[in-house]
Amino acid sequence: MSSDKYTLTDAENLRVTSTKDLRSRGAASVEKLLSMLADSSWVVRRSVIEALAAFGEVSVGPLCDILLNDRKSEAKLAATVDALVASNGPVEKIIIPLAKDPNPAVAADVAQVLGRRRSPQSVGTLIELTNHQDDNVAVGAIESLGRIGGRAAVEALIAIVTKGNFFRTFPAIDVLGRSSDPRAIVPLTNLLKDPTYLPEAARALGKLGESGSIPALMELIHTGSDSVVRIAAISIQELQTRFEEKSGGEIVYIEGVIRSQVKTETVRRLARVISGSDTDEAIAICKLIGTIGSDEAEAILTSSLSQPGLVAVAAAQSLKKISKNTDTAILQAIGDGNSPRRKVLLPLISKHSAAESIAACLLDPDAEVRALACDTLARLGNPSVVKDLFPLLKDSNLRVVHSATAAIQALGNREARQLAVEWSRSENPVVRRSCLRILTYFGDALALEPMLAGLEDADPRVREAAIQGLPYLEEPKAIGALYAICKNEDPRRRSLAMRALGQLPKKTEHTLSVLLKGLTDSDAWVKYYAIQSLGRMGYTTAAVDIVKLIDDPAGQVRVSAVEALSHLNVPEAHAALRHAAESNDVEVQRVAIVGLGISHRIEDLPLVLAAARSADAPTKLIALSALVNFPSHSILGTLSMAASDSDIQVSSAAIELLAGLRTQEATEVLIELLYPHSTREKAREALLIPTEGRIPGILVGLESADDEMADQLILILTRLKRPEAKAALLAAMKLNNVAARKAAASGLSARRDPEMIAVLKEASEFDPSPEVRDICSLLTRQ
């Protein structure tokens, strides 16, 4: 975190400046910087940490010496640990031997550093430290294994929880739950018998996401106290979510497993504890009741529609799964309910026939409910209620007005058009403007007279709506009116008419001549829209005149000129774009970069690449977007670097652009971005977008993946839901990488495909790895 986010004293500012100066001098400054690790100011220490971390290998040894021999200052030790965690040097090579130091405090620090660095090569050392005689060291090692993730430490963790050491068991339970390894089911289930560990063990079973955990969790619902029932419901909901992720959304199997464990008293047991539950617990209970399904379940869920907020939503969604008459129950709750209840239930209505009942909510005192009612009517598509929407065009809340306008457009029958004509004569200017927008959307002959009348309206916003609507009517009178407005003494009207001419579906010589004349108008905005319209129409004859406007005094005219030239494929336009891409006017430069991307001539690539390396984030973002129009092999390195940019917008944009590239190499870059915490989530979302090179790239990544990464990649494969993904899952079971086969086994099990189960059974007997054989054996017994 940079120091400029804090108000520093003059003395602190001097020390931060000194730190930066020492950093610029290189490795010779290490000793001086080490002496500043105990500085009284956290901001100064942070600056020192960043400097030492940047030095890499030359600072690692001295930092480790502090851990060994200089342990008087807690602040200095904490800063030393932070520097080692952040270092880009070979920390593991130097620090791992210190794990055997007789001082437990040193070993604890080693465990912390290794865990925070998330280095897979540290797992063996951390497993050894879980057996350390000092509880603090062992707990630190267990927590660090949790940070690294994966299955490699499962056997060591199972051994810990079976020994019953109170301080070590709790963190081990948590790590086992995040391991995604079915070998954890039995030891975690055994811990349910001990009230001390039961809550954590139940939660861990949920996090595992394995169907084999269902019998034990359902038994808690039948035999546990009210608080235990709530914990079990939350855990089952978590398990379902994770299982669905692993299986690519296959819910039939896991719901069948849950229903197979239901007893006569199950639903009543769940219903009894809803009233005393918090929101998350009540939601989980409603979802579980919906999964179970029965007449009794339907009655309980119907009564739960009166619960507040998200609980009512969960009850309604569960009802939809088990009842054909869900809308009837929800409509009853909406009719009897207050505004807060209506807010959560309106989005759940889906039947065409419900429109009349929903129309009653248009009179709700809460503006958000009125807007939601409009949105719901638009979604239902029943035009019988269109007349009820027009009074909302004069609502005092603009959100309601916009929603009503959109709903009328969506329903769009003849009655809606006729009513729009009638209401366009309203005394309320907001209503008149909304009606002109509605008529513009429909674009038929009925709209002509209201539009022409709107041109003379006393309200300027109504006049603007009329001008903007004329080009969509395709009526000679409408186009003639636009030509006339281009000569109006009001520059605002002229500029709107120039923009409207660019929306005409057909370009005529008259239209083009009017727009060309607009290039010499005295008003900058008229010129702006004339240029924009000519560019949109692709009128290459105008290129020479538009090039002249790149040096116009008005900034918006210069920008519009460059943008228009992007659409005019003639030598004069291209030469001007190249010149503008190196302009000192940053806005002009950015628009030119966009234009070079549109034309994507290979000779322009160096200019766009240079802009992508700009220190200015907005320029960099624009250049990155332009790059994707060029051949992917030329831009992959630049996008890869940008994906790790410190600016989150630049990083996100680069990852999104990588997601759209249809090459295996782009997929491999995205897989690399799964490792850093800062890019992991975005990279995962990107990999879930199916493209041509996605699955082959994931298979390549699995060949060298560690446990955590293998789990991630298999999860992505299962969620892609493509025939090639199924083939890739089966192929992963034949890879040399044990981590990949372990992860693939869970993925195959979750799909419950007969061919996949057969592969698991074969692997349970013949796989060369005993770990894989054990996992497959457990999975085939679920």
Side-chain angles (χ1 to χ4, degrees):
M1 192 173 293
S2 60
S3 59
D4 59 4
K5 294 189 179 180
Y6 298 87
T7 302
L8 303 181
T9 65
D10 290 342
E12 286 176 321
N13 266 319
L14 282 172
R15 299 202 299 279
V16 169
T17 302
S18 173
T19 301
K20 292 178 180 177
D21 179 58
L22 289 168
R23 179 175 179 174
S24 68
R25 295 182 192 178
S29 303
V30 169
E31 288 301 323
K32 178 63 176 173
L33 286 166
L34 290 171
S35 68
M36 298 174 69
L37 280 170
D39 193 282
S40 59
S41 167
W42 183 88
V43 178
V44 176
R45 293 200 304 275
R46 185 77 258 167
S47 182
V48 174
I49 289 165
E50 290 172 358
L52 289 168
F55 285 151
E57 185 169 3
V58 295
S59 64
V60 174
L63 287 167
C64 288
D65 285 340
I66 292 174
L67 290 186
L68 281 172
N69 304 312
D70 187 2
R71 303 192 60 85
K72 293 179 181 179
S73 167
E74 287 296 327
K76 186 173 184 177
L77 282 171
T80 300
V81 167
D82 286 347
L84 286 166
V85 169
S87 176
N88 55 23
V91 174
E92 287 77 12
K93 177 182 175 182
I94 299 173
I95 202 173
I96 282 177
L98 304 188
K100 298 184 183 298
D101 192 88
N103 184 349
V106 173
D109 285 339
V110 169
Q112 183 184 169
V113 170
L114 294 176
R116 287 173 60 189
R117 284 179 66 84
R118 299 177 184 271
S119 172
Q121 71 190 83
S122 307
V123 170
T125 299
L126 291 170
I127 289 174
E128 290 180 16
L129 289 177
T130 61
N131 294 313
H132 200 282
Q133 61 184 4
D134 186 279
D135 280 339
N136 290 328
V137 176
V139 169
I142 293 168
E143 291 174 346
S144 289
L145 285 171
R147 284 178 180 269
I148 296 171
R151 307 161 181 262
V154 167
E155 292 182 358
L157 293 167
I158 289 173
I160 290 169
V161 299
T162 56
K163 291 177 183 176
N165 181 306
F166 180 84
F167 295 105
R168 304 186 188 197
T169 298
F170 274 108
I173 290 172
D174 179 61
V175 178
L176 279 173
R178 288 184 277 129
S179 70
S180 301
D181 196 306
R183 290 174 293 173
I185 295 175
V186 172
L188 289 173
T189 300
N190 289 337
L191 289 175
L192 297 177
K193 301 169 186 174
D194 188 328
T196 305
Y197 302 121
L198 185 153
E200 290 305 313
R203 294 186 184 99
L205 285 169
K207 291 174 186 175
L208 272 177
E210 291 291 340
S211 59
S213 303
I214 292 292
L217 292 173
M218 288 294 289
E219 185 60 23
L220 291 179
I221 288 173
H222 302 137
T223 61
S225 63
D226 287 359
S227 62
V228 169
V229 171
R230 296 184 183 106
I231 291 169
I234 287 266
S235 298
I236 291 171
Q237 178 57 39
E238 174 83 1
L239 189 153
Q240 278 188 273
T241 300
R242 291 183 181 255
F243 185 90
E244 287 169 24
E245 287 177 351
K246 289 197 295 185
S247 64
E250 299 290 338
I251 63 172
V252 174
Y253 172 75
I254 195 66
E255 289 186 345
V257 174
I258 291 171
R259 285 191 285 270
S260 72
Q261 302 297 314
V262 171
K263 297 182 179 179
T264 307
E265 70 273 17
T266 305
V267 174
R268 288 194 296 274
R269 191 86 175 85
L270 289 166
R272 194 179 74 186
V273 302
I274 290 180
S275 59
S277 301
D278 64 26
T279 299
D280 289 341
E281 292 166 344
I283 289 171
I285 291 168
C286 285
K287 289 184 176 180
L288 181 53
I289 290 174
T291 296
I292 293 170
S294 65
D295 292 340
E296 189 178 19
E298 186 174 342
I300 292 165
L301 291 170
T302 300
S303 66
S304 296
L305 293 173
S306 61
Q307 293 284 336
L310 295 175
V311 179
V313 173
Q317 290 172 337
S318 293
L319 261 178
K320 281 181 174 291
K321 291 175 61 176
I322 63 176
S323 172
K324 295 181 179 179
N325 300 313
T326 304
D327 272 13
T328 303
I330 297 175
L331 284 172
Q332 181 68 41
I334 288 173
D336 295 342
N338 53 18
S339 297
R341 187 184 302 174
R342 288 174 172 177
K343 285 179 190 177
V344 298
L345 294 179
L346 276 171
L348 301 173
I349 294 295
S350 58
K351 282 191 176 179
H352 184 82
S353 58
E356 190 172 336
S357 299
I358 298 302
C361 295
L362 297 174
L363 303 176
D364 194 278
D366 189 309
E368 187 177 350
V369 173
R370 297 197 298 276
L372 282 170
C374 292
D375 297 342
T376 302
L377 291 172
R379 190 178 70 251
L380 297 181
N382 188 336
S384 67
V385 294
V386 73
K387 62 184 181 300
D388 299 310
L389 290 163
F390 276 89
L392 273 73
L393 296 179
K394 57 185 177 182
D395 198 281
S396 59
N397 186 285
L398 283 179
R399 157 88 164 91
V400 176
V401 174
H402 292 153
S403 293
T405 301
I408 292 167
Q409 291 171 339
L411 296 176
N413 60 353
R414 181 74 177 176
E415 182 185 9
R417 303 173 192 202
Q418 291 172 334
L419 286 169
V421 171
E422 294 173 19
W423 281 76
S424 70
R425 306 184 191 104
S426 167
E427 294 182 359
N428 187 324
V430 174
V431 175
R432 296 200 299 274
R433 187 167 80 251
S434 297
C435 285
L436 291 182
R437 288 175 175 168
I438 291 167
L439 290 167
T440 296
Y441 179 83
F442 295 139
D444 60 17
L446 279 175
L448 180 60
E449 292 307 319
M451 291 292 180
L452 294 176
L455 295 177
E456 306 302 324
D457 199 280
D459 188 288
R461 291 173 297 179
V462 177
R463 293 198 300 270
E464 290 176 11
I467 294 171
Q468 291 165 357
L470 287 173
Y472 297 97
L473 302 187
E474 298 188 47
E475 293 279 343
K477 283 187 178 180
I479 299 172
L482 281 177
Y483 291 150
I485 297 168
C486 289
K487 300 175 183 179
N488 193 284
E489 62 181 16
D490 179 4
R492 174 65 179 164
R493 297 195 203 190
R494 294 201 306 276
S495 65
L496 288 170
M498 290 290 174
R499 182 170 67 175
L501 286 175
Q503 306 296 329
L504 289 172
K506 298 176 183 177
K507 60 182 179 183
T508 66
E509 289 298 324
H510 192 180
T511 301
L512 294 171
S513 67
V514 171
L515 290 171
L516 282 170
K517 189 173 181 180
L519 298 180
T520 60
D521 197 278
S522 59
D523 184 81
W525 285 108
V526 175
K527 287 192 283 189
Y528 173 88
Y529 286 118
I531 295 167
Q532 196 177 70
S533 293
L534 286 165
R536 185 180 293 113
M537 290 179 167
Y539 188 46
T540 56
T541 306
V544 174
D545 293 318
I546 293 174
V547 167
K548 296 174 184 176
L549 294 172
I550 289 181
D551 297 318
D552 193 272
Q556 71 267 39
V557 174
R558 297 195 299 272
V559 169
S560 183
V562 175
E563 182 180 0
L565 291 171
S566 305
H567 301 282
L568 304 179
N569 189 21
V570 291
E572 298 91 338
H574 181 238
L577 274 180
R578 286 183 60 86
H579 178 71
E582 298 178 292
S583 169
N584 292 326
D585 184 330
V586 68
E587 293 297 330
V588 168
Q589 181 198 26
R590 290 171 185 166
V591 176
I593 292 298
V594 172
L596 293 176
I598 292 170
S599 59
H600 57 273
R601 303 185 186 201
I602 197 65
E603 64 265 31
D604 297 332
L605 180 57
L607 284 172
V608 183
L609 287 172
R613 294 190 290 270
S614 169
D616 178 63
T619 301
K620 190 182 294 187
L621 282 166
I622 287 169
L624 291 174
S625 298
L627 276 178
V628 295
N629 297 310
F630 293 90
S632 62
H633 66 272
S634 305
I635 64 171
L636 200 57
T638 301
L639 289 176
S640 177
M641 288 178 60
S644 299
D645 197 278
S646 57
D647 186 296
I648 190 168
Q649 286 184 300
V650 172
S651 173
S652 297
I655 292 172
E656 288 175 15
L657 294 169
L658 282 165
L661 295 181
R662 303 170 64 84
T663 65
Q664 180 177 318
E665 291 77 13
T667 294
E668 291 173 21
V669 170
L670 288 170
I671 290 172
E672 288 299 317
L673 294 171
L674 288 172
Y675 286 93
H677 183 73
S678 59
T679 55
R680 184 174 304 159
E681 191 56 41
K682 285 284 184 183
R684 184 186 297 119
E685 291 173 7
L687 286 165
L688 286 169
I689 299 171
T691 66
E692 191 173 321
R694 187 70 76 233
I695 291 172
I698 290 174
L699 273 176
V700 170
L702 280 167
E703 290 175 356
S704 57
D706 58 31
D707 282 293
E708 181 184 17
M709 188 55 60
D711 280 340
Q712 293 284 341
L713 295 178
I714 291 296
L715 185 59
I716 290 165
L717 272 182
T718 56
R719 291 176 66 186
L720 282 173
K721 290 187 175 181
R722 296 169 72 90
E724 313 95 278
K726 175 183 175 181
L729 280 171
L730 293 168
M733 284 300 295
K734 299 186 181 301
L735 293 175
N736 290 329
N737 185 0
V738 173
R741 300 204 303 277
K742 287 191 290 184
S746 290
L748 293 173
S749 171
R751 294 287 289 272
R752 309 311 296 179
D753 178 281
E755 182 183 1
M756 294 179 173
I757 298 301
V759 168
L760 285 177
K761 288 180 178 177
E762 181 181 356
S764 69
E765 296 183 35
F766 303 111
D767 193 277
S769 165
E771 274 190 289
V772 176
R773 292 198 299 273
D774 287 348
I775 289 170
C776 291
S777 178
L778 285 166
L779 290 171
T780 53
R781 292 203 297 267
Q782 289 185 17

